[in-house]
């Protein structure tokens, strides 16, 4: 089966092209819950892009975050709530990115007065940036979320975490969109939860989204226990991927997981993840809810830790003198991903 | 509110035959014991006794009687 050129997993020049052709079109950056008030911000770096997303009194906005004076970051990296004002010499900006106040300056010495503005798009509570300046295309997102049972406006997360991965972002995508590895890699997470390599794996895709359901076989099914807790429970692990950097999963219709990648270089990627309660979990008795949330944190942290050495070892292998990539029929979503990726890389 | 009754409810919660359990059964050594069973026991304590058990209560107990002691103490 055709696949991406192994060089694309370690080449910095291909990574630069990916930033221009893929990540500048649609980049998930967080949910509305990350911006509780006006002046809440999230300041990020994507390779050489330093940008900030802000909640303003006229909605969500995204700007280049490099001060027009002498290039300090206007919003410090990370998130919080502050006026849109540079901390170095106090140059302050309006909610359209124009310079509002520049203390003790001479107008004649200011030729640039407006920050570049980027596109912002919202699907449910999910926020995306279009660093190419256009509004990101999001028309397929809602349908993908519906496929896995994520509500339009889930409650704020009960756990958030960050994981640094020494690998190319595409290796994380590929690891996420196949169930082939479950029996080999996940003895402390998926296997005891009933999911393994021979579980049923159903999948489908749309233009830039794909989704799957991993459903245990009769012999590992725990459906009767789960349905004792709630009639709304299922025994399945559902996964959705929104190209290029967002993953969402639902487990047994109790726990939702949302995770996104910010690539730092061709061989280094930050993975941010959070867990939230699905409607069926919200309805359980408080003691059961608490324990299920604790178990979900343990399960997720464990499964990510189980995957990490494997994706990082693929990075080493793909960067070696004799890399291999032979996709199997058991990895149909990866083939689909490679197809879409290749298309995006060609269409400038 | 007897221990016999509790053992019965415990068995029902984790889907095993009542006759296979006693107050002295070391439940975490049961062949299929898992975190979902612990949740089922917590749900049973809530529904049948109105008692909030934590995961820690279950994990730190060895026998069904140990769990019963916590439940009956909290019930009062
Ligand atoms: S660098 Fe921002 S005000 Fe001087
Ligand atoms: Fe995995």
């Amino acid at each position: 089966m055709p696949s991406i050129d192994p060089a694309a997993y370690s080449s910095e020049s291909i990574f630069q092209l990916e930033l221009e052709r893929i990540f500048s079109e649609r980049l998930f950056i967080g949910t509305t819950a990350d911006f509780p008030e006006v002046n809440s911000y999230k300041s990020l770096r994507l390779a050489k892009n330093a940008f900030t997303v802000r909640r303003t009194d006229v909605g969500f906005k995204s700007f280049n975050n490099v001060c027009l004076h002498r290039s300090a970051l206007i919003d410090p990296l990370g998130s919080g709530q502050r006026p849109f004002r540079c901390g170095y010499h106090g140059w302050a900006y309006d909610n359209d990115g124009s310079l509002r106040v520049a203390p003790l300056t001479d107008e004649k010495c200011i030729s640039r007065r407006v920050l570049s503005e980027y596109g912002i798009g919202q699907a449910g509570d999910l926020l995306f940036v279009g660093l190419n300046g256009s509004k990101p295309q999001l028309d397929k997102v809602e349908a993908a979320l519906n496929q896995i049972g994520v509500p339009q406006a889930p409650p704020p997360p009960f756990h958030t975490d960050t994981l640094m991965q020494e690998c190319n972002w595409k290796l994380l995508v590929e690891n996420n969109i196949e169930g082939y590895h479950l029996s080999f890699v996940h003895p402390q997470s998926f296997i005891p939860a009933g999911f393994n390599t021979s579980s049923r794996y159903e999948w489908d895709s749309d233009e830039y989204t794909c989704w799957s359901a991993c459903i245990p076989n009769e012999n590992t099914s725990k459906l009767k226990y789960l349905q004792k807790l709630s009639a709304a429970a299922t025994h399945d692990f559902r996964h959705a991927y929104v190209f290029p950097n967002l993953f969402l999963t639902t487990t047994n219709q109790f726990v939702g997981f949302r995770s996104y990648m910010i690539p730092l270089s061709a061989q280094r990627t930050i993975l941010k993840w959070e867990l939230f309660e699905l409607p069926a979990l919200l309805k359980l008795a408080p003691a059961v809810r608490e324990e299920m949330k604790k178990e979900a944190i343990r399960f997720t942290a464990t499964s990510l830790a189980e995957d990490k050495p494997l994706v990082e070892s693929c990075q080493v292998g793909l960067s070696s003198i004799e890399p291999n990539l032979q996709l199997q029929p058991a990895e149909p979503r990866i083939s689909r991903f490679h197809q879409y990726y290749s298309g995006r890389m060609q269409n400038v | 509110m007897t221990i016999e009754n509790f053992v019965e409810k415990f068995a029902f919660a984790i889907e095993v035959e009542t006759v296979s359990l006693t107050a002295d059964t070391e439940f975490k050594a049961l062949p299929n014991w898992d975190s979902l069973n612990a949740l089922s026991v917590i749900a049973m304590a809530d529904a049948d006794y109105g008692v909030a058990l934590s995961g820690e209560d279950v994990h730190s107990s060895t026998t069904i009687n140990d769990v019963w002691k916590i439940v009956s103490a909290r019930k009062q």
Side-chain angles (χ1 to χ4, degrees):
Chain A
M1 284 184 211
S3 62
I4 297 175
D5 176 1
Y9 293 78
S10 49
S11 153
E12 288 302 332
S13 58
I14 294 177
F15 178 60
Q16 287 310 317
L17 282 182
E18 290 174 348
L19 293 170
E20 285 164 30
R21 297 179 186 177
I22 288 175
F23 288 96
S24 70
E25 290 193 331
R26 183 190 311 105
L27 183 76
F28 175 79
I29 57 92
T31 65
T32 52
D34 298 336
F35 300 85
E37 296 164 89
V38 167
N39 275 333
S40 295
Y41 72 91
K42 212 171 205 184
S43 154
L44 296 155
R45 272 180 81 184
L46 176 72
K48 284 189 174 173
N49 282 296
F51 65 100
T52 185
V53 179
R54 302 190 60 90
R55 181 165 158 188
T56 75
D57 42 18
V58 292
F60 294 99
K61 294 271 199 162
S62 179
F63 301 104
N64 189 296
N65 191 30
V66 178
C67 183
L68 294 174
H69 176 216
R70 276 166 45 208
S71 295
L73 295 185
I74 307 165
D75 283 329
L77 288 172
S79 57
Q81 197 217 13
R82 64 191 297 282
F84 198 23
R85 183 197 303 129
C86 179
Y88 203 174
H89 312 91
W91 288 28
Y93 300 85
D94 249 323
N95 59 22
D96 61 355
S98 62
L99 190 59
R100 186 165 52 80
V101 185
L104 308 175
T105 48
D106 182 340
E107 280 301 313
K108 290 198 296 291
C109 303
I110 302 177
S111 55
R112 237 193 117 187
R113 303 197 60 93
V114 187
L115 298 167
S116 300
E117 182 167 357
Y118 304 127
I120 281 267
Q122 186 174 343
D125 66 331
L126 309 175
L127 292 171
F128 298 80
V129 173
L131 290 172
N132 59 7
S134 311
K135 232 176 158 41
Q137 187 195 346
L138 300 174
D139 56 334
K140 312 285 187 201
V141 175
E142 198 187 317
L145 264 51
N146 284 342
Q147 288 289 339
I148 66 166
V150 171
Q152 280 279 312
F158 60 85
H159 184 85
T160 59
D161 225 321
T162 300
L163 191 63
M164 185 65 79
Q165 305 266 26
E166 302 301 329
C167 70
N168 185 271
W169 65 276
K170 296 188 287 300
L171 284 171
L172 296 177
V173 176
E174 291 161 9
N175 174 254
N176 257 272
I177 59 177
E178 53 99 343
Y180 183 18
H181 71 285
L182 295 179
S183 294
F184 306 96
V185 177
H186 293 298
Q188 306 296 331
S189 54
F190 283 96
I191 296 172
F195 304 102
N196 59 42
T197 298
S198 47
S199 298
R200 207 162 91 220
Y201 194 82
E202 296 169 353
W203 76 284
D204 207 344
S205 65
D206 203 335
E207 189 188 341
Y208 55 86
T209 55
C210 63
W211 54 89
S212 64
C214 182
I215 303 156
N217 295 323
E218 196 92 19
N219 55 344
T220 63
S221 175
K222 295 168 191 283
L223 191 59
K224 64 179 177 188
Y225 299 98
L226 289 159
Q227 292 209 322
K228 234 173 182 172
L229 296 173
S230 161
T234 53
H235 189 194
D236 54 14
F237 180 77
R238 293 176 178 268
H239 186 282
Y241 171 49
V242 179
F243 189 87
N245 76 324
L246 172 66
F247 308 111
L248 284 134
T249 78
T250 55
T251 306
N252 306 334
Q253 286 308 310
F254 282 128
V255 180
F257 163 87
R258 182 169 45 232
S259 144
Y260 65 102
M261 300 176 291
I262 300 285
L264 297 181
S265 72
Q267 309 201 35
R268 202 154 208 239
T269 308
I270 295 182
L271 185 80
K272 298 201 173 259
W273 60 276
E274 52 194 25
L275 297 168
F276 55 92
E277 293 176 273
L278 294 177
L281 178 52
L282 289 166
K283 289 195 194 114
L284 296 185
V288 183
R289 233 174 107 187
E290 271 327 293
E291 185 55 19
M292 196 173 283
K293 288 194 278 184
K294 268 192 209 152
E295 171 55 21
I297 296 168
R298 188 209 64 80
F299 175 95
T300 311
T302 304
S303 74
L304 289 169
E306 287 169 332
D307 280 321
K308 186 174 161 68
L310 277 309
V311 289
E312 292 181 347
S313 88
C314 288
Q315 182 65 51
V316 176
L318 283 165
S319 318
S320 75
I321 53 165
E322 205 177 312
N324 293 304
L325 233 176
Q326 304 192 76
L327 292 179
Q328 298 306 303
E331 303 158 310
R333 284 174 84 200
I334 301 186
S335 297
R336 176 76 183 83
F337 165 62
H338 283 205
Q339 219 176 46
Y340 187 69
Y341 168 90
S342 304
R344 295 317 304 157
M345 288 297 275
Q346 274 151 24
N347 294 346
V348 187
Chain B
M1 237 186 55
T2 62
I3 175 73
E4 288 75 23
N5 221 286
F6 185 72
V7 172
E8 214 170 279
K9 290 186 190 301
F10 197 106
F12 180 74
I14 66 167
E15 299 262 342
V16 299
E17 297 289 333
T18 313
V19 289
S20 65
L21 300 183
T22 72
D24 295 326
T25 300
E26 299 189 1
F27 57 91
K28 283 177 289 181
L30 291 171
N32 291 319
W33 180 263
D34 66 3
S35 61
L36 188 50
N37 285 158
L39 277 169
S40 304
V41 170
I42 294 168
M44 174 273 285
D46 176 84
D48 296 341
Y49 296 88
V51 166
L53 278 182
S54 70
E56 199 30 48
D57 294 328
V58 179
H59 300 308
S60 63
S61 297
T62 305
T63 63
I64 296 176
N65 192 41
D66 296 336
V67 185
W68 168 243
K69 277 192 233 154
I70 300 172
V71 170
S72 53
R74 284 193 196 151
K75 178 96 185 121
Q76 274 137 38

